[in-house]
Amino acid sequence: QVQLVESGGGSVQSGGSLTLSCTISGGTTGRYTMTWFRQEVGKEREGVAGVDPDGSTTYANSVKGRFTISQDGAKSTLFLQMNSLRPEDTAMYYCAAGYLVASKLDRYEYGYWGQGTQVTVSS
């Protein structure tokens, strides 16, 4: 059974940086498409950045050039480096793993989810 645990969230001022981590157990990140999603209160969960087993990445337009998704060499941890943070980046961030994913930023493609970590960006 795959389990995902996120960490690294917190509060930061606009323009600041945070790095989120997602540790996987019961599998390795290299076997799945791994994607970060976020959800604001009252809104739908949206895909932020994803990486396929072959290393190809996809980013939401809203975070291109500011966020970077990566994995460690052991394929046990997924990261999201977030720079130039904006108040509109405030959300609960979730890590997800999916097998044979066709569209990386589509939340319905994923069967495994973490519990989330809160990111709050103040202006």
Short mmCIF file of all heavy atoms in Angstrom, two decimals, residues 22-79:
data_model
loop_
_atom_site.label_atom_id
_atom_site.label_comp_id
_atom_site.label_asym_id
_atom_site.label_seq_id
_atom_site.Cartn_x
_atom_site.Cartn_y
_atom_site.Cartn_z
N CYS A 22 7.63 15.35 -0.14
CA CYS A 22 6.63 14.28 -0.08
C CYS A 22 7.39 12.96 -0.04
O CYS A 22 8.07 12.60 -1.01
CB CYS A 22 5.72 14.34 -1.29
SG CYS A 22 4.60 12.93 -1.46
N THR A 23 7.28 12.27 1.07
CA THR A 23 7.95 10.99 1.24
C THR A 23 7.00 9.87 0.90
O THR A 23 5.87 9.84 1.40
CB THR A 23 8.47 10.84 2.66
OG1 THR A 23 9.37 11.91 2.95
CG2 THR A 23 9.21 9.52 2.82
N ILE A 24 7.45 8.93 0.07
CA ILE A 24 6.62 7.81 -0.34
C ILE A 24 7.08 6.54 0.37
O ILE A 24 8.29 6.30 0.52
CB ILE A 24 6.64 7.63 -1.87
CG1 ILE A 24 5.65 6.56 -2.32
CG2 ILE A 24 8.05 7.31 -2.36
CD1 ILE A 24 5.46 6.51 -3.83
N SER A 25 6.13 5.73 0.83
CA SER A 25 6.44 4.41 1.38
C SER A 25 5.55 3.39 0.69
O SER A 25 4.47 3.73 0.21
CB SER A 25 6.24 4.38 2.89
OG SER A 25 4.90 4.70 3.22
N GLY A 26 6.02 2.17 0.62
CA GLY A 26 5.26 1.14 -0.08
C GLY A 26 5.47 1.18 -1.57
O GLY A 26 4.75 0.53 -2.32
N GLY A 27 6.46 1.94 -2.02
CA GLY A 27 6.75 2.06 -3.44
C GLY A 27 7.83 3.09 -3.64
O GLY A 27 8.37 3.64 -2.67
N THR A 28 8.15 3.39 -4.88
CA THR A 28 9.13 4.43 -5.18
C THR A 28 8.49 5.43 -6.13
O THR A 28 7.62 5.09 -6.94
CB THR A 28 10.39 3.86 -5.84
OG1 THR A 28 10.04 3.24 -7.08
CG2 THR A 28 11.06 2.83 -4.94
N THR A 29 8.94 6.67 -6.03
CA THR A 29 8.38 7.72 -6.88
C THR A 29 8.65 7.44 -8.34
O THR A 29 7.91 7.87 -9.22
CB THR A 29 8.93 9.10 -6.50
OG1 THR A 29 10.34 9.11 -6.69
CG2 THR A 29 8.62 9.43 -5.05
N GLY A 30 9.73 6.71 -8.62
CA GLY A 30 10.09 6.45 -10.01
C GLY A 30 9.13 5.55 -10.75
O GLY A 30 9.18 5.46 -11.97
N ARG A 31 8.25 4.87 -10.03
CA ARG A 31 7.30 3.98 -10.67
C ARG A 31 6.03 4.71 -11.09
O ARG A 31 5.29 4.24 -11.96
CB ARG A 31 6.94 2.84 -9.70
CG ARG A 31 6.05 1.79 -10.35
CD ARG A 31 5.64 0.72 -9.36
NE ARG A 31 4.76 -0.26 -10.00
CZ ARG A 31 4.03 -1.15 -9.35
NH1 ARG A 31 4.07 -1.20 -8.04
NH2 ARG A 31 3.28 -1.99 -10.00
N TYR A 32 5.74 5.82 -10.47
CA TYR A 32 4.47 6.52 -10.66
C TYR A 32 4.68 7.89 -11.27
O TYR A 32 5.77 8.46 -11.20
CB TYR A 32 3.78 6.71 -9.30
CG TYR A 32 3.49 5.43 -8.57
CD1 TYR A 32 4.37 4.92 -7.64
CD2 TYR A 32 2.31 4.73 -8.82
CE1 TYR A 32 4.10 3.74 -6.97
CE2 TYR A 32 2.02 3.56 -8.15
CZ TYR A 32 2.93 3.07 -7.23
OH TYR A 32 2.66 1.90 -6.57
N THR A 33 3.62 8.41 -11.83
CA THR A 33 3.56 9.84 -12.09
C THR A 33 3.29 10.50 -10.75
O THR A 33 2.34 10.13 -10.05
CB THR A 33 2.47 10.19 -13.10
OG1 THR A 33 2.80 9.64 -14.37
CG2 THR A 33 2.31 11.70 -13.23
N MET A 34 4.14 11.46 -10.39
CA MET A 34 4.02 12.13 -9.11
C MET A 34 3.70 13.60 -9.37
O MET A 34 4.37 14.27 -10.15
CB MET A 34 5.34 12.04 -8.33
CG MET A 34 5.82 10.63 -8.06
SD MET A 34 4.73 9.73 -6.96
CE MET A 34 4.76 10.74 -5.47
N THR A 35 2.68 14.09 -8.70
CA THR A 35 2.22 15.45 -8.96
C THR A 35 1.85 16.16 -7.67
O THR A 35 1.33 15.55 -6.74
CB THR A 35 1.02 15.42 -9.92
OG1 THR A 35 1.45 14.92 -11.18
CG2 THR A 35 0.41 16.81 -10.14
N TRP A 36 2.13 17.45 -7.65
CA TRP A 36 1.69 18.32 -6.57
C TRP A 36 0.40 19.01 -7.00
O TRP A 36 0.31 19.56 -8.12
CB TRP A 36 2.74 19.38 -6.26
CG TRP A 36 3.94 18.84 -5.56
CD1 TRP A 36 5.14 18.49 -6.12
CD2 TRP A 36 4.07 18.60 -4.15
NE1 TRP A 36 5.98 18.03 -5.15
CE2 TRP A 36 5.36 18.11 -3.94
CE3 TRP A 36 3.22 18.77 -3.06
CZ2 TRP A 36 5.83 17.75 -2.66
CZ3 TRP A 36 3.68 18.43 -1.81
CH2 TRP A 36 4.98 17.92 -1.61
N PHE A 37 -0.57 18.98 -6.12
CA PHE A 37 -1.83 19.69 -6.31
C PHE A 37 -1.98 20.71 -5.17
O PHE A 37 -1.31 20.61 -4.15
CB PHE A 37 -3.02 18.72 -6.26
CG PHE A 37 -3.12 17.83 -7.46
CD1 PHE A 37 -2.36 16.68 -7.56
CD2 PHE A 37 -3.99 18.14 -8.50
CE1 PHE A 37 -2.45 15.86 -8.68
CE2 PHE A 37 -4.09 17.33 -9.61
CZ PHE A 37 -3.32 16.18 -9.70
N ARG A 38 -2.88 21.64 -5.37
CA ARG A 38 -3.20 22.56 -4.29
C ARG A 38 -4.69 22.86 -4.31
O ARG A 38 -5.35 22.76 -5.34
CB ARG A 38 -2.39 23.86 -4.38
CG ARG A 38 -2.68 24.73 -5.60
CD ARG A 38 -1.69 25.89 -5.65
NE ARG A 38 -1.96 26.77 -6.79
CZ ARG A 38 -1.16 27.77 -7.13
NH1 ARG A 38 -0.04 28.03 -6.43
NH2 ARG A 38 -1.47 28.54 -8.16
N GLN A 39 -5.18 23.23 -3.14
CA GLN A 39 -6.61 23.52 -3.02
C GLN A 39 -6.83 24.64 -2.02
O GLN A 39 -6.41 24.55 -0.87
CB GLN A 39 -7.37 22.27 -2.58
CG GLN A 39 -8.87 22.43 -2.60
CD GLN A 39 -9.59 21.10 -2.39
OE1 GLN A 39 -9.02 20.13 -1.91
NE2 GLN A 39 -10.84 21.04 -2.79
N GLU A 40 -7.50 25.68 -2.48
CA GLU A 40 -7.92 26.75 -1.60
C GLU A 40 -9.30 26.40 -1.07
O GLU A 40 -10.07 25.67 -1.69
CB GLU A 40 -7.98 28.07 -2.37
CG GLU A 40 -6.65 28.53 -2.94
CD GLU A 40 -6.82 29.78 -3.78
OE1 GLU A 40 -7.18 30.83 -3.23
OE2 GLU A 40 -6.60 29.69 -5.00
N VAL A 41 -9.62 26.96 0.06
CA VAL A 41 -10.93 26.71 0.67
C VAL A 41 -12.04 27.14 -0.29
O VAL A 41 -12.00 28.26 -0.82
CB VAL A 41 -11.05 27.46 2.01
CG1 VAL A 41 -12.45 27.31 2.57
CG2 VAL A 41 -10.01 26.96 3.00
N GLY A 42 -12.96 26.23 -0.55
CA GLY A 42 -14.08 26.55 -1.41
C GLY A 42 -13.82 26.43 -2.90
O GLY A 42 -14.70 26.72 -3.70
N LYS A 43 -12.61 26.01 -3.25
CA LYS A 43 -12.27 25.87 -4.66
C LYS A 43 -11.87 24.44 -4.98
O LYS A 43 -11.60 23.64 -4.08
CB LYS A 43 -11.13 26.83 -5.02
CG LYS A 43 -11.51 28.30 -4.92
CD LYS A 43 -10.42 29.19 -5.47
CE LYS A 43 -10.83 30.65 -5.41
NZ LYS A 43 -9.77 31.54 -5.97
N GLU A 44 -11.82 24.13 -6.27
CA GLU A 44 -11.44 22.79 -6.68
C GLU A 44 -9.93 22.59 -6.55
O GLU A 44 -9.16 23.55 -6.62
CB GLU A 44 -11.88 22.55 -8.13
CG GLU A 44 -13.38 22.47 -8.31
CD GLU A 44 -13.77 22.03 -9.70
OE1 GLU A 44 -12.90 21.97 -10.58
OE2 GLU A 44 -14.97 21.74 -9.91
N ARG A 45 -9.56 21.34 -6.38
CA ARG A 45 -8.15 21.01 -6.31
C ARG A 45 -7.55 21.14 -7.71
O ARG A 45 -8.10 20.60 -8.68
CB ARG A 45 -7.99 19.59 -5.77
CG ARG A 45 -6.59 19.22 -5.38
CD ARG A 45 -6.58 17.92 -4.58
NE ARG A 45 -7.30 18.03 -3.32
CZ ARG A 45 -7.30 17.09 -2.38
NH1 ARG A 45 -6.62 15.98 -2.57
NH2 ARG A 45 -8.00 17.27 -1.27
N GLU A 46 -6.42 21.82 -7.82
CA GLU A 46 -5.79 22.04 -9.12
C GLU A 46 -4.37 21.50 -9.15
O GLU A 46 -3.64 21.54 -8.14
CB GLU A 46 -5.77 23.53 -9.46
CG GLU A 46 -4.94 24.39 -8.53
CD GLU A 46 -4.80 25.82 -9.01
OE1 GLU A 46 -5.30 26.15 -10.10
OE2 GLU A 46 -4.17 26.62 -8.29
N GLY A 47 -3.98 20.99 -10.31
CA GLY A 47 -2.62 20.48 -10.48
C GLY A 47 -1.64 21.63 -10.59
O GLY A 47 -1.90 22.62 -11.26
N VAL A 48 -0.50 21.46 -9.95
CA VAL A 48 0.53 22.50 -9.92
C VAL A 48 1.73 22.07 -10.75
O VAL A 48 2.18 22.80 -11.63
CB VAL A 48 0.96 22.79 -8.48
CG1 VAL A 48 2.14 23.76 -8.44
CG2 VAL A 48 -0.21 23.33 -7.67
N ALA A 49 2.27 20.90 -10.46
CA ALA A 49 3.45 20.42 -11.15
C ALA A 49 3.52 18.91 -11.02
O ALA A 49 3.28 18.37 -9.94
CB ALA A 49 4.72 21.04 -10.57
N GLY A 50 3.85 18.24 -12.12
CA GLY A 50 3.93 16.78 -12.11
C GLY A 50 5.14 16.29 -12.85
O GLY A 50 5.69 16.97 -13.72
N VAL A 51 5.57 15.06 -12.51
CA VAL A 51 6.72 14.44 -13.17
C VAL A 51 6.40 12.99 -13.45
O VAL A 51 5.90 12.25 -12.59
CB VAL A 51 8.00 14.59 -12.32
CG1 VAL A 51 7.83 14.02 -10.92
CG2 VAL A 51 9.20 13.97 -13.02
N ASP A 52 6.65 12.56 -14.69
CA ASP A 52 6.43 11.18 -15.10
C ASP A 52 7.62 10.31 -14.70
O ASP A 52 8.70 10.84 -14.41
CB ASP A 52 6.25 11.12 -16.62
CG ASP A 52 4.86 11.47 -17.04
OD1 ASP A 52 3.91 11.19 -16.29
OD2 ASP A 52 4.69 12.04 -18.15
N PRO A 53 7.46 8.99 -14.75
CA PRO A 53 8.59 8.10 -14.47
C PRO A 53 9.79 8.34 -15.38
O PRO A 53 10.93 8.09 -14.98
CB PRO A 53 8.00 6.70 -14.69
CG PRO A 53 6.55 6.86 -14.36
CD PRO A 53 6.20 8.23 -14.86
N ASP A 54 9.54 8.84 -16.60
CA ASP A 54 10.67 9.10 -17.51
C ASP A 54 11.32 10.45 -17.25
O ASP A 54 12.27 10.83 -17.95
CB ASP A 54 10.22 9.01 -18.97
CG ASP A 54 9.23 10.09 -19.36
OD1 ASP A 54 8.89 10.94 -18.51
OD2 ASP A 54 8.77 10.09 -20.53
N GLY A 55 10.80 11.18 -16.28
CA GLY A 55 11.40 12.46 -15.91
C GLY A 55 10.78 13.68 -16.55
O GLY A 55 11.15 14.82 -16.21
N SER A 56 9.85 13.48 -17.47
CA SER A 56 9.23 14.64 -18.11
C SER A 56 8.32 15.36 -17.12
O SER A 56 7.63 14.72 -16.32
CB SER A 56 8.44 14.22 -19.34
OG SER A 56 7.39 13.35 -18.99
N THR A 57 8.33 16.67 -17.17
CA THR A 57 7.60 17.49 -16.20
C THR A 57 6.53 18.35 -16.89
O THR A 57 6.64 18.68 -18.07
CB THR A 57 8.54 18.41 -15.42
OG1 THR A 57 9.27 19.23 -16.34
CG2 THR A 57 9.53 17.61 -14.59
N THR A 58 5.53 18.67 -16.13
CA THR A 58 4.46 19.56 -16.57
C THR A 58 4.14 20.53 -15.45
O THR A 58 4.06 20.11 -14.28
CB THR A 58 3.19 18.77 -16.93
OG1 THR A 58 3.48 17.86 -18.00
CG2 THR A 58 2.07 19.70 -17.37
N TYR A 59 3.98 21.80 -15.79
CA TYR A 59 3.67 22.82 -14.80
C TYR A 59 2.40 23.57 -15.20
O TYR A 59 2.14 23.82 -16.38
CB TYR A 59 4.81 23.84 -14.69
CG TYR A 59 6.09 23.27 -14.13
CD1 TYR A 59 7.06 22.72 -14.95
CD2 TYR A 59 6.33 23.29 -12.76
CE1 TYR A 59 8.23 22.20 -14.43
CE2 TYR A 59 7.49 22.77 -12.22
CZ TYR A 59 8.44 22.23 -13.07
OH TYR A 59 9.60 21.71 -12.54
N ALA A 60 1.65 23.96 -14.20
CA ALA A 60 0.54 24.87 -14.44
C ALA A 60 1.11 26.21 -14.88
O ALA A 60 2.18 26.63 -14.42
CB ALA A 60 -0.29 25.03 -13.17
N ASN A 61 0.39 26.92 -15.75
CA ASN A 61 0.88 28.21 -16.25
C ASN A 61 1.14 29.19 -15.11
O ASN A 61 2.07 30.00 -15.19
CB ASN A 61 -0.14 28.80 -17.22
CG ASN A 61 -0.17 28.06 -18.55
OD1 ASN A 61 0.81 27.45 -18.95
ND2 ASN A 61 -1.31 28.10 -19.21
N SER A 62 0.34 29.10 -14.08
CA SER A 62 0.45 30.05 -12.97
C SER A 62 1.74 29.93 -12.18
O SER A 62 2.10 30.84 -11.43
CB SER A 62 -0.75 29.90 -12.04
OG SER A 62 -0.80 28.58 -11.52
N VAL A 63 2.45 28.80 -12.32
CA VAL A 63 3.67 28.60 -11.52
C VAL A 63 4.92 28.43 -12.37
O VAL A 63 6.02 28.31 -11.82
CB VAL A 63 3.52 27.39 -10.57
CG1 VAL A 63 2.27 27.52 -9.71
CG2 VAL A 63 3.53 26.07 -11.34
N LYS A 64 4.77 28.42 -13.69
CA LYS A 64 5.94 28.24 -14.56
C LYS A 64 6.98 29.32 -14.30
O LYS A 64 6.66 30.50 -14.20
CB LYS A 64 5.50 28.29 -16.03
CG LYS A 64 4.90 27.00 -16.54
CD LYS A 64 4.52 27.12 -18.00
CE LYS A 64 3.89 25.83 -18.50
NZ LYS A 64 3.42 25.94 -19.91
N GLY A 65 8.22 28.87 -14.19
CA GLY A 65 9.31 29.79 -13.94
C GLY A 65 9.52 30.12 -12.48
O GLY A 65 10.53 30.73 -12.11
N ARG A 66 8.58 29.73 -11.62
CA ARG A 66 8.70 30.00 -10.18
C ARG A 66 8.84 28.71 -9.36
O ARG A 66 9.53 28.71 -8.34
CB ARG A 66 7.48 30.78 -9.68
CG ARG A 66 7.27 32.11 -10.37
CD ARG A 66 6.16 32.92 -9.68
NE ARG A 66 4.86 32.25 -9.73
CZ ARG A 66 4.15 31.94 -8.65
NH1 ARG A 66 4.60 32.23 -7.44
NH2 ARG A 66 2.96 31.35 -8.77
N PHE A 67 8.16 27.65 -9.78
CA PHE A 67 8.17 26.38 -9.04
C PHE A 67 8.98 25.35 -9.83
O PHE A 67 8.97 25.35 -11.06
CB PHE A 67 6.76 25.85 -8.86
CG PHE A 67 5.88 26.63 -7.91
CD1 PHE A 67 6.26 27.88 -7.43
CD2 PHE A 67 4.67 26.12 -7.50
CE1 PHE A 67 5.45 28.59 -6.56
CE2 PHE A 67 3.83 26.81 -6.64
CZ PHE A 67 4.24 28.06 -6.18
N THR A 68 9.64 24.45 -9.09
CA THR A 68 10.39 23.36 -9.70
C THR A 68 10.09 22.06 -8.97
O THR A 68 10.24 22.00 -7.74
CB THR A 68 11.90 23.63 -9.66
OG1 THR A 68 12.19 24.88 -10.31
CG2 THR A 68 12.65 22.52 -10.37
N ILE A 69 9.69 21.04 -9.73
CA ILE A 69 9.43 19.73 -9.15
C ILE A 69 10.65 18.85 -9.38
O ILE A 69 11.29 18.91 -10.44
CB ILE A 69 8.15 19.09 -9.76
CG1 ILE A 69 7.77 17.83 -8.99
CG2 ILE A 69 8.32 18.83 -11.24
CD1 ILE A 69 6.39 17.27 -9.39
N SER A 70 10.99 18.04 -8.39
CA SER A 70 12.15 17.16 -8.52
C SER A 70 11.98 15.96 -7.59
O SER A 70 11.09 15.93 -6.74
CB SER A 70 13.44 17.91 -8.19
OG SER A 70 13.44 18.35 -6.85
N GLN A 71 12.88 14.97 -7.79
CA GLN A 71 12.88 13.78 -6.95
C GLN A 71 14.31 13.53 -6.47
O GLN A 71 15.26 13.92 -7.14
CB GLN A 71 12.41 12.55 -7.73
CG GLN A 71 11.06 12.72 -8.38
CD GLN A 71 10.69 11.55 -9.28
OE1 GLN A 71 10.34 10.48 -8.80
NE2 GLN A 71 10.79 11.75 -10.58
N ASP A 72 14.45 12.84 -5.35
CA ASP A 72 15.80 12.49 -4.92
C ASP A 72 16.28 11.27 -5.71
O ASP A 72 15.51 10.59 -6.37
CB ASP A 72 15.84 12.24 -3.41
CG ASP A 72 15.11 10.97 -3.01
OD1 ASP A 72 14.25 10.49 -3.79
OD2 ASP A 72 15.38 10.46 -1.91
N GLY A 73 17.57 11.00 -5.63
CA GLY A 73 18.16 9.91 -6.40
C GLY A 73 17.61 8.55 -6.05
O GLY A 73 17.54 7.66 -6.89
N ALA A 74 17.20 8.37 -4.81
CA ALA A 74 16.66 7.09 -4.35
C ALA A 74 15.20 6.92 -4.72
O ALA A 74 14.62 5.86 -4.47
CB ALA A 74 16.83 6.97 -2.84
N LYS A 75 14.61 7.96 -5.33
CA LYS A 75 13.20 7.91 -5.73
C LYS A 75 12.28 7.64 -4.53
O LYS A 75 11.29 6.92 -4.63
CB LYS A 75 12.95 6.85 -6.81
CG LYS A 75 13.83 7.01 -8.03
CD LYS A 75 13.53 8.27 -8.80
CE LYS A 75 14.33 8.31 -10.10
NZ LYS A 75 14.16 9.59 -10.82
N SER A 76 12.63 8.21 -3.39
CA SER A 76 11.79 8.03 -2.21
C SER A 76 11.14 9.32 -1.77
O SER A 76 10.25 9.30 -0.91
CB SER A 76 12.61 7.45 -1.05
OG SER A 76 13.63 8.38 -0.68
N THR A 77 11.59 10.43 -2.33
CA THR A 77 11.05 11.72 -1.93
C THR A 77 10.84 12.62 -3.14
O THR A 77 11.70 12.70 -4.02
CB THR A 77 12.00 12.42 -0.94
OG1 THR A 77 12.26 11.56 0.17
CG2 THR A 77 11.37 13.71 -0.40
N LEU A 78 9.71 13.28 -3.15
CA LEU A 78 9.36 14.26 -4.18
C LEU A 78 9.45 15.64 -3.55
O LEU A 78 9.08 15.82 -2.39
CB LEU A 78 7.93 14.01 -4.66
CG LEU A 78 7.39 14.91 -5.76
CD1 LEU A 78 8.01 14.53 -7.10
CD2 LEU A 78 5.87 14.79 -5.83
N PHE A 79 9.95 16.61 -4.32
CA PHE A 79 10.10 17.96 -3.81
C PHE A 79 9.34 18.94 -4.70
O PHE A 79 9.12 18.70 -5.88
CB PHE A 79 11.58 18.37 -3.79
CG PHE A 79 12.45 17.48 -2.96
CD1 PHE A 79 13.22 16.48 -3.56
CD2 PHE A 79 12.50 17.62 -1.59
CE1 PHE A 79 14.03 15.65 -2.80
CE2 PHE A 79 13.30 16.80 -0.82
CZ PHE A 79 14.07 15.80 -1.43
#
